[in-house]
Amino acid sequence: MNIKAYKMDGLGNDFVIIDARSEEIELSNDQITKICDRKYIGCDQLIILKKNQNTDASLIFYNSDGSISGACGNGTRCIAEFLNKENKKETIVLTTSSGELISKILGDRLVSTEIGIPKLKWNEIPLSKDINSKNLRIKISDKNGNDFMGGTAVNVGNPHVIFFVDDISKFEIKKIGPIIENSELFPEKCNVTIAQKINKDHIKVNVWERGAGLTKACGTAACATAYAGKINQLTGNNTEIEFASGKLSIHIDEKESIHMKGPVSDIKEINIKI
């Protein structure tokens, strides 16, 4: 089977996009994981674009392990840019499993997406028991064996836990991430962020993404981190979230809805033989 597809990324958070609006394309879990495998095509997430009568399109996000992701901020921004090349609309509305997301095309491959109002209740994240989501009191250790207790849980279309530490370079996200992701506290697993406040407008992060592993950037993690920073009185309504490959700008409006803005890549057409 030959499939025409596309590759895009937001700050290195990369995607394979399959346009199934005019032709139904069904992929098995094995086929999805093969496409995402970096020994073959390679990506953090596979995005299936489908026709929708009420919005510009519907999106299905698959993680590199074949599982479905409820939301993907950078992926949504990439698709908004992708569709703008086709329909020239400055506002793109996309249907996802976590709701309708509105994106603004700002020019020069800069796109803003409103992620929505985050959820903080234990059963909405979800957690397996009723505990304080602002401080989960999860123990993580740095490279020197020093213990740190904390973790703030936020759902922004998918579950996240954020640890604010003094120096993120002292913590190995590749070791900590999979342990927390698969903790019994998170029945739907979770994304894990180690965050360091640089100042009230700037947070530096490393992210372990649920179902995908270590990632160069994660849009929903940036949103969750900014909101966790606000409710922990570390930051305000406007925060720059810094990844290894660049920054996303996060704004929390008067309704507590989160907006993320950042660059996306050019669109590269590829052919998948599978």
Side-chain angles (χ1 to χ4, degrees):
M1 178 169 59
N2 289 334
I3 302 173
K4 181 181 176 181
Y6 307 87
K7 283 209 76 171
M8 291 186 74
D9 74 84
L11 297 179
N13 184 196
D14 61 342
F15 312 98
V16 168
I17 301 162
I18 296 176
D19 189 349
R21 286 176 295 170
S22 59
E23 180 183 0
E24 190 69 25
I25 297 174
E26 296 292 338
L27 296 172
S28 68
N29 185 276
D30 286 345
Q31 289 172 321
I32 291 167
T33 55
K34 182 176 181 179
I35 291 169
C36 295
D37 189 338
R38 297 198 181 275
K39 294 177 183 177
Y40 186 55
I41 304 294
C43 61
D44 289 326
Q45 275 92 22
L46 172 67
I47 305 175
I48 305 293
L49 187 61
K50 296 201 170 189
K51 190 175 182 179
N52 188 293
Q53 292 183 342
N54 301 314
T55 61
D56 290 293
S58 293
L59 304 181
I60 303 174
F61 301 105
Y62 290 96
N63 294 315
S64 56
D65 67 355
S67 62
I68 290 179
S69 175
C72 179
N74 281 328
T76 300
R77 293 191 309 105
C78 284
I79 293 295
E81 177 77 4
F82 178 89
L83 292 177
N84 169 259
K85 299 299 183 186
E86 175 185 293
N87 60 28
K88 306 303 179 185
K89 292 182 180 179
E90 294 183 358
T91 299
I92 304 291
V93 183
L94 295 165
T95 299
T96 74
S97 62
S98 58
E100 291 185 4
L101 299 181
I102 300 173
S103 298
K104 301 288 186 181
I105 307 300
L106 306 175
D108 295 325
R109 299 202 308 273
L110 194 64
V111 182
S112 173
T113 295
E114 183 174 2
I115 295 297
I117 300 172
K119 298 174 182 177
L120 299 174
K121 293 180 180 179
W122 72 274
N123 57 334
E124 292 178 331
I125 289 166
L127 303 174
S128 58
K129 56 185 176 181
D130 184 358
I131 58 174
N132 180 12
S133 64
K134 188 176 175 181
N135 185 359
L136 300 176
R137 297 192 60 78
I138 296 173
K139 184 175 74 173
I140 60 174
S141 301
D142 66 16
K143 295 175 183 177
N144 297 317
N146 300 307
D147 293 339
F148 171 87
M149 195 79 73
T152 297
V154 181
N155 187 304
V156 287
N158 50 18
H160 289 260
V161 60
I162 303 95
F163 296 90
F164 289 98
V165 301
D166 292 333
D167 185 352
I168 60 173
S169 68
K170 293 182 179 179
F171 292 82
E172 294 186 72
I173 188 69
K174 286 194 288 187
K175 288 186 177 180
I176 295 169
I179 295 172
I180 305 300
E181 176 193 4
N182 295 288
S183 166
E184 63 180 16
L185 183 59
F186 298 96
E188 295 181 7
K189 300 188 177 183
C190 68
N191 300 271
V192 184
T193 298
I194 308 294
Q196 175 185 344
K197 176 186 172 181
I198 306 301
N199 57 52
K200 67 181 182 65
D201 304 313
H202 182 190
I203 296 175
K204 194 173 182 179
V205 298
N206 285 327
V207 178
W208 179 268
E209 200 166 359
R210 177 183 68 165
L214 185 66
T215 183
K216 293 180 180 179
C218 176
T220 55
C223 295
T225 299
Y227 201 82
K230 179 185 177 181
I231 64 175
N232 283 291
Q233 299 182 327
L234 299 173
T235 57
N237 287 343
N238 297 288
T239 313
E240 295 284 316
I241 304 296
E242 180 183 352
F243 299 90
S245 53
K247 296 178 182 178
L248 289 172
S249 299
I250 308 300
H251 169 65
I252 302 166
D253 67 22
E254 66 280 357
K255 297 178 182 178
E256 298 292 289
S257 187
I258 306 174
H259 304 251
M260 60 174 294
K261 180 176 69 176
V264 298
S265 71
D266 284 328
I267 304 165
K268 180 183 177 182
E269 188 174 320
I270 62 173
N271 184 59
I272 301 173
K273 295 180 180 180
I274 196 164

